[in-house]
Amino acid sequence: MERPSGQEAKVNTYRDFADEILPRIADDGYNTVQLMAIMEHAYYGSFGYHVTSPFAVSSRCGTPEDLKYLVDKAHGFGIRVLLDVIHCHASCNTEDGIAGFDIGQQTADSYFHTGDEGYHWLWDSRLYNYGNWEVQRYLLSNLRYWVDEYGFDGFRFDGVTSMLYNHHGLQMDFTGDYNEYFGLDTNVSAVVYLMLANDMLHGVYPGIEVIAEDVSGMPTLCRPVTEGGIGFDARLGMAIPDLWVRLLKASREGRLRDEDWSMHEIIASLCNRRYTEKVIGYAESHDQSIVGDKTNAFWLMDKEMYEGMSTFDEASDEVSRGMALHKMIRLLTIAIGGEGYLNFMGNEFGHPEWVDFPREGNDWSHEHCRRRWDLADTEYLRYSELGQFDKAMMALDQQYKFLGDAHQFVSSADEERKVIVAERGPLLFVFNFHPTESYEGLEVGVGMGGKYRIVLDTDAWSFGGQGRVGHDFDHFSNPGGPVTFVGPYEQEPRPASLKVLSPCRCAQVYFKIDEDGAAANYDTAASVHDFGRGVHLTSDAPRAAPVEERYGDERLYQDTVSSEYDSDWMKAEQARQSQSRSAAAPSGGGGGGGGGGGGGSSEYDSDWMKAQMAAAAANGGSEL
């Protein structure tokens, strides 16, 4: 979604996105970008889903040549580009859209079904007649057009659930019963079209990637056509963001205490996928960032996001809780939620505002048609700390390749302690969701004995934490693992165990190192808290190695990401990790002195902070 991606409140262009946003994506470590609302659509407020002309580039953001420039520049950074393709329905417009070609034609010759069969009552749109061979040719050629003409590396098929079933998934709760998938409600013609599309794409373009947006969990959706599957490479794990927003909403409304969160329910939702069918996990949906809903950060911190995000002041209880859970939710999702990870632009640093396009309902305002990158770029705001943590998660996968690793094992989901312990690839993840209880000497199971060291800590000072866990300590295993449960189910004990410090509301990631401190089969066992600025490629630099060579099978999806990393600032931050954060906001005739060694910080001046944020926006996101 390139149009609200810029700092300025305006419709951004393809070239703006290429020049201003792609460098952020590359610097943050993502290897794939999904572009939304590219196909031409007459109604701006439809967020690009009411397509009128599937072959046309949306002219609001530039010309076809501008879009080609964007894709080429992404490839120069080693970033793959996926197109959000809308083949599930089309705009009802007959004056300027594909729907107008059916006027007066017989049903057998129509692009769309007639009557109720051809109308989606919730979306107010027309539905294709996938059994018509002209429709099949039209849509298949559309896919080839975007790859051949613009160089896209794959697609995210929107609304696949609506295509798979005659009821379109409306007023339907899928329980996993196979009768819900294979019966008279299945739209066989649409299934055949999707099989044809995937078979054609993978046959003509080896290495292409095709993702399905399906909420039903259709079996074999992500198995090859040669095996009788529908042929997608992966599907979106849509139940995961639904879980998180349900918990956060219930907590915000006072219906659920943090200590009553079910660890078993969380694990069941994150791991609910068929073996050998890949899933892209994500912590929040882009729908939450659209006007009318709230992002995870907003559910967690609400109005505190406007006045309580300065590091010059001690965080309120609400902000402390929100910062901690925002990081934990993302880390647990990327750890065990799938074989890829998706983030909607701005959510990686807890963007405080929603996305909205100029429309009649908001008096054609551009106020929220933007992303506040200045907040992530301003070092003394906690938004920057959230963004730095997201960057550290990407660095963690680049270093240890856990997303593409088939090994995943949840050894404990302790309802009483609110602790989750999971293995993914070579890493051990320990989460403590309890709001008040910390555990010293917590015994956790590991798959292999040896010496372990922390490689990522959500509680690190540099990520806005309290720095309660030391990063330089080695943890030596003991034979035999503890008795553990995942919900009511007792687990087979792991071969070995560690004793760790697990403070409340934080998570740590451990890695087994050699006795001499080196990491076997890895370049380094260094903590990602110590990562420095990576190579920053530009559009005229030699093209990066193919993503398959650089990252394996895993995909880190992003629309836009956080600010560039300030290594000098981070070094200074690391130097004071052992001290209490203390500083003073400027006031009156100059800056005040901060207390040292655990002294209290000065009174936070919210009017001053608002003025600084406004100045940052006016200056186009320059650092203050």
Side-chain angles (χ1 to χ4, degrees):
M1 184 177 288
E2 75 297 326
R3 58 193 56 183
S5 61
Q7 172 78 24
E8 188 177 349
K10 67 172 186 176
V11 177
N12 226 27
T13 68
Y14 300 124
R15 288 184 178 270
D16 290 338
F17 184 90
D19 295 337
E20 300 170 7
I21 308 304
L22 280 177
R24 292 180 177 271
I25 297 174
D27 188 63
D28 205 53
Y30 286 86
N31 59 26
T32 305
V33 59
Q34 173 190 321
L35 298 181
M36 304 168 63
I38 299 297
M39 291 178 165
E40 189 61 276
H41 49 285
Y43 179 44
Y44 200 28
S46 74
F47 300 96
Y49 291 117
H50 276 200
V51 172
T52 52
S53 302
F55 282 84
V57 172
S58 180
S59 58
R60 294 178 180 87
C61 303
T63 67
E65 293 304 314
D66 294 335
L67 179 60
K68 293 176 183 178
Y69 173 82
L70 186 162
V71 175
D72 287 345
K73 190 157 188 175
H75 290 162
F77 283 112
I79 296 173
R80 293 165 66 91
V81 187
L82 304 187
L83 175 69
D84 208 34
V85 66
I86 317 298
H87 283 183
C88 54
H89 67 142
S91 169
C92 288
N93 292 18
T94 57
E95 297 298 322
D96 60 351
I98 183 66
F101 286 89
D102 276 354
I103 301 300
Q105 292 189 153
Q106 298 179 1
T107 301
D109 300 324
S110 295
Y111 281 96
F112 304 94
H113 287 292
T114 57
D116 291 342
E117 189 179 7
Y119 179 71
H120 198 292
W121 59 265
L122 183 62
W123 294 343
D124 185 28
S125 55
R126 299 293 302 277
L127 299 173
Y128 287 106
N129 177 6
Y130 300 105
N132 186 322
W133 69 279
E134 281 288 359
V135 172
Q136 295 174 9
R137 292 181 61 182
Y138 178 79
L139 296 178
L140 291 173
S141 64
N142 183 239
L143 297 173
R144 290 205 58 173
Y145 170 76
W146 289 106
V147 178
D148 291 343
E149 188 68 19
Y150 294 94
F152 279 96
D153 303 291
F155 300 96
R156 177 264 201 182
F157 270 69
D158 179 67
V160 169
T161 305
S162 178
M163 300 174 69
L164 293 175
Y165 308 99
N166 295 319
H167 53 62
H168 311 299
L170 299 176
Q171 300 175 322
M172 176 71 182
D173 292 326
F174 291 94
T175 65
D177 187 328
Y178 273 50
N179 291 321
E180 297 169 352
Y181 305 117
F182 306 111
L184 296 179
D185 285 331
T186 304
N187 187 339
V188 176
S189 295
V191 172
V192 169
Y193 162 67
L194 292 173
M195 295 174 70
L196 288 171
N198 280 302
D199 187 62
M200 181 269 291
L201 288 171
H202 290 97
V204 177
Y205 309 105
I208 200 168
E209 190 162 26
V210 191
I211 312 298
E213 186 204 35
D214 171 47
V215 73
S216 73
M218 166 68 83
T220 75
L221 182 71
C222 302
R223 295 305 301 168
V225 175
T226 53
E227 296 180 3
I230 298 178
F232 286 99
D233 294 293
R235 65 175 178 85
L236 296 181
M238 301 179 69
I240 299 175
D242 289 347
L243 162 77
W244 292 125
V245 76
R246 185 172 69 251
L247 291 176
L248 298 181
K249 184 176 182 180
S251 297
R252 168 61 57 183
E253 296 174 351
R255 295 182 286 108
L256 182 68
R257 301 182 306 168
D258 288 3
E259 53 264 42
D260 294 330
W261 284 21
S262 170
M263 300 297 100
H264 185 217
E265 179 188 12
I266 291 173
I267 291 301
S269 297
L270 287 167
C271 299
N272 184 17
R273 58 186 184 271
R274 291 182 178 84
Y275 181 65
T276 75
E277 293 199 51
K278 293 181 179 180
V279 167
I280 307 300
Y282 55 119
E284 52 190 315
S285 166
H286 70 272
D287 292 336
Q288 292 175 238
S289 298
I290 295 175
V291 64
D293 207 338
K294 295 181 180 180
T295 63
N296 287 352
F298 223 113
W299 279 116
L300 286 163
M301 293 177 278
D302 204 62
K303 64 182 180 180
E304 288 286 322
M305 298 188 69
Y306 292 105
E307 296 188 353
M309 298 298 280
S310 171
T311 60
F312 291 136
D313 187 38
E314 183 178 353
S316 67
D317 290 343
E318 189 166 21
V319 169
S320 293
R321 171 184 179 269
M323 291 279 292
L325 289 178
H326 198 270
K327 291 176 287 185
M328 292 180 70
I329 286 170
R330 284 182 286 160
L331 183 61
L332 185 56
T333 300
I334 195 174
I336 62 174
E339 289 70 37
Y341 179 74
L342 170 69
N343 177 68
F344 182 75
M345 59 177 184
N347 289 349
E348 73 283 353
F349 65 88
H351 195 285
E353 297 175 343
W354 54 87
V355 172
D356 197 7
F357 298 140
R359 55 188 174 84
E360 187 176 3
N362 63 14
D363 198 24
W364 307 105
S365 171
H366 288 77
E367 176 63 23
H368 295 294
C369 188
R370 60 173 178 168
R371 296 278 86 181
R372 291 291 304 274
W373 302 112
D374 57 308
L375 301 180
D377 292 346
T378 304
E379 297 166 1
Y380 55 75
L381 293 181
R382 292 187 169 89
Y383 298 106
S384 177
E385 295 171 332
L386 292 175
Q388 291 298 330
F389 177 74
D390 197 81
K391 186 170 185 175
M393 286 201 311
M394 301 304 105
L396 186 73
D397 182 67
Q398 290 177 24
Q399 187 167 337
Y400 297 106
K401 307 294 189 294
F402 65 90
L403 261 178
D405 199 303
H407 175 66
Q408 176 175 314
F409 187 87
V410 178
S411 62
S412 179
D414 191 322
E415 296 291 5
E416 181 178 354
R417 290 175 168 173
K418 301 303 173 187
V419 167
I420 293 173
V421 180
E423 302 165 20
R424 183 65 187 271
L427 301 178
L428 173 71
F429 295 79
V430 181
F431 295 83
N432 181 355
F433 279 93
H434 201 287
T436 59
E437 294 294 329
S438 298
Y439 307 107
E440 187 173 359
L442 177 69
E443 189 176 18
V444 299
V446 292
M448 184 180 298
K451 181 169 65 174
Y452 287 77
R453 188 173 295 169
I454 287 179
V455 290
L456 180 62
D457 177 15
T458 66
D459 197 46
W461 283 113
S462 52
F463 307 141
Q466 301 178 44
R468 292 170 289 179
V469 180
H471 300 165
D472 298 328
F473 298 100
D474 293 330
H475 300 263
F476 294 89
S477 67
N478 294 308
V483 176
T484 59
F485 290 80
V486 173
Y489 307 105
E490 184 174 354
Q491 304 299 297
E492 184 74 21
R494 303 303 284 154
S497 66
L498 297 176
K499 288 188 176 181
V500 300
L501 172 61
S502 180
C504 60
R505 279 200 186 127
C506 69
Q508 290 74 39
V509 185
Y510 297 84
F511 179 74
K512 181 180 180 296
I513 61 177
D514 290 344
E515 291 302 318
D516 59 0
N521 301 321
Y522 289 87
D523 295 335
T524 175
S527 165
V528 294
H529 304 96
D530 303 324
F531 67 87
R533 185 186 297 273
V535 177
H536 188 83
L537 299 178
T538 60
S539 58
D540 57 352
R543 181 162 178 161
V547 174
E548 291 86 349
E549 296 177 16
R550 298 168 61 208
Y551 299 104
D553 291 335
E554 74 273 14
R555 289 286 179 265
L556 304 171
Y557 294 91
Q558 176 63 295
D559 285 291
T560 51
V561 292
S562 63
S563 63
E564 291 192 8
Y565 169 59
D566 188 329
S567 58
D568 292 335
W569 172 80
M570 183 62 82
K571 290 175 183 177
E573 187 70 21
Q574 290 169 349
R576 50 181 224 259
Q577 280 185 6
S578 60
Q579 304 175 5
S580 298
R581 178 183 295 131
S582 178
S587 61
S601 62
S602 66
E603 182 72 13
Y604 170 53
D605 187 338
S606 60
D607 292 334
W608 173 82
M609 194 66 199
K610 290 177 182 177
Q612 298 304 303
M613 293 170 65
N619 293 330
S622 59
E623 294 186 358
L624 301 178

